[in-house]
């Protein structure tokens, strides 16, 4: 699970496989917004964005809190400034706990900022530009998935991969100061074609892009939950959908055109023969 393990899988298979490879990430995900819904096969035909929690945001916030406390302590030595200093100290503490009022607290998620963090341009979550999927493989996935489950159960769109199951996916709670209450809403607003949220596809597509043409990659996931309604798929239906998705992925991989292992990646062309190593 997660991008580090995807990095291991892709790099180590690339090291021992001869010739061009085709890889499909098949798994489960959350449906971010309609038209994606429970039980759909969501294909990352528009590529994937990466979401990473930025620790510098909290580091800067802590520094800001300490600066405010030091200023308040210094001002407390002057009786005529004591009341004013106490007011500033309280405001800083509230902001440092992620509960700042006015624009910062109302915005939440991607735009939430305060104190030194705001001055430095820090945000709690870094969101990458989209990395594309392989057009041919994504089209084959769509065609095969449609043949297996029907067009009404297949949705193409943009995927998002997070570095955490919790904070970077907008799951909130009181145990940690994650500043993520508005994260999903802001992502959906910024990317109207965003349909799926999981933890692996971005890393796969990024590695494929940087593979010097030796890897074709795409992603497809079963929508296990609707993040917009908090509805969950019945577990009894999951195995059937996993088999359907796996069948579609394998059929797509069989049809994907690849070059043989004797052709350098820089000169791989459509006339080269196919090879047998494809996997989901």
């Amino acid at each position: 699970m997660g991008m580090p393990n995807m990095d291991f899988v892709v790099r180590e298979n690339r090291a021992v496989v001869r010739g061009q490879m085709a890889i499909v990430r098949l798994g489960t995900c959350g449906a971010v917004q309609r038209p994606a819904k429970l039980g759909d096969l969501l294909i990352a035909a528009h590529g994937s964005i990466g979401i990473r929690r930025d620790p510098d945001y909290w580091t800067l916030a802590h520094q800001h809190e300490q600066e405010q406390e030091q200023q308040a302590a210094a001002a407390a030595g002057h009786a005529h400034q004591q009341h004013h200093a106490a007011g500033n100290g309280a405001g800083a503490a509230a902001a440092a706990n992620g509960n700042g009022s006015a624009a910062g607290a109302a915005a939440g998620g991607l735009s939430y900022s305060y104190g030194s963090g705001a001055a430095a341009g820090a945000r709690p979550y870094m969101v990458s530009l989209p990395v594309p999927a392989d057009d041919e493989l994504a089209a084959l996935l769509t065609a095969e998935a449609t043949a297996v489950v029907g067009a009404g159960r297949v949705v193409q769109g943009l995927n998002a991969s997070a570095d955490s199951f919790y904070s970077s996916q907008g799951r909130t709670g009181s145990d940690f100061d994650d500043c993520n209450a508005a994260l999903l809403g802001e992502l959906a607003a910024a990317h109207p074609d965003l349909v799926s949220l999981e933890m692996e596809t971005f890393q796969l597509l990024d590695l494929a892009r940087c593979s010097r043409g030796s890897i074709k990659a795409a992603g497809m996931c079963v929508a296990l939950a609707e993040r917009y309604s908090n509805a969950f798929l019945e577990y009894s239906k999951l195995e059937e959908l996993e088999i359907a998705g796996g069948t579609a992925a394998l059929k797509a991989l069989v049809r994907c055109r690849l070059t043989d292992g004797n052709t350098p990646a820089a000169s791989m062309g459509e006339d080269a023969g196919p090879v047998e190593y494809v996997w989901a």
Side-chain angles (χ1 to χ4, degrees):
M1 176 185 285
M3 288 186 270
N5 283 326
M6 177 61 79
D7 195 79
F8 268 116
V9 168
V10 174
R11 290 180 184 274
E12 296 192 4
N13 276 275
R14 177 65 282 171
V16 298
V17 172
R18 179 178 60 86
Q20 195 176 37
M21 300 169 63
I23 306 174
V24 170
R25 142 65 175 159
L26 175 64
T28 59
C29 69
V32 177
Q33 57 189 339
R34 295 187 184 280
K37 60 186 182 301
L38 286 183
D40 284 351
L41 296 180
L42 308 183
I43 298 173
H46 300 177
S48 181
I49 56 176
I51 308 167
R52 290 183 170 86
R53 190 176 189 271
D54 185 2
D56 288 349
Y57 179 78
W58 284 268
T59 299
L60 292 170
H62 180 65
Q63 291 174 354
H64 177 65
E65 180 182 4
Q66 289 182 320
E67 291 169 1
Q68 292 296 308
E69 289 175 351
Q70 291 170 358
Q71 292 173 7
H78 304 280
H80 68 280
Q81 293 181 346
Q82 187 171 5
H83 176 74
H84 178 68
N88 285 346
N97 288 326
N99 297 314
S101 60
L110 299 176
S111 62
Y112 195 103
S113 58
Y114 54 84
S116 297
R123 296 290 184 268
Y125 298 95
M126 300 178 290
V127 180
S128 77
L129 295 171
V131 174
D134 182 80
D135 289 338
E136 178 191 10
L137 189 51
L140 290 171
L141 271 177
T142 301
E144 295 296 345
T146 299
V148 174
V149 300
R153 302 294 300 278
V154 179
V155 179
Q156 291 182 311
L158 180 69
N159 174 76
S161 296
D163 66 351
S164 166
F165 185 79
Y166 295 97
S167 64
S168 301
Q169 292 198 40
R171 290 184 169 91
T172 59
S174 59
D175 290 334
F176 297 93
D177 174 22
D178 286 322
C179 297
N180 65 349
L183 178 60
L184 275 185
E186 292 194 4
L187 284 170
H191 301 281
D193 59 339
L194 179 62
V195 293
S196 57
L197 177 60
E198 40 86 272
M199 299 180 66
E200 290 84 20
T201 299
F202 176 82
Q203 188 71 13
L204 168 61
L205 299 187
D206 186 35
L207 288 171
R209 173 178 61 176
C210 298
S211 71
R212 305 181 189 278
S214 69
I215 299 175
K216 294 182 176 183
M220 177 172 65
C221 291
V222 177
L224 193 61
E226 290 177 355
R227 296 300 306 278
Y228 54 86
S229 69
N230 206 34
F232 291 86
L233 185 72
E234 294 179 24
Y235 187 76
S236 60
K237 297 180 180 179
L238 180 57
E239 182 178 3
E240 177 185 350
L241 289 167
E242 287 178 333
I243 293 173
T247 299
L250 290 172
K251 288 184 175 181
L253 287 167
V254 168
R255 294 175 57 192
C256 186
R257 296 174 299 172
L258 298 175
T259 59
D260 64 32
N262 298 318
T263 306
S267 61
M268 288 178 176
E270 294 184 1
D271 295 334
V275 292
E276 298 179 356
Y277 7 86
V278 294
W279 52 281

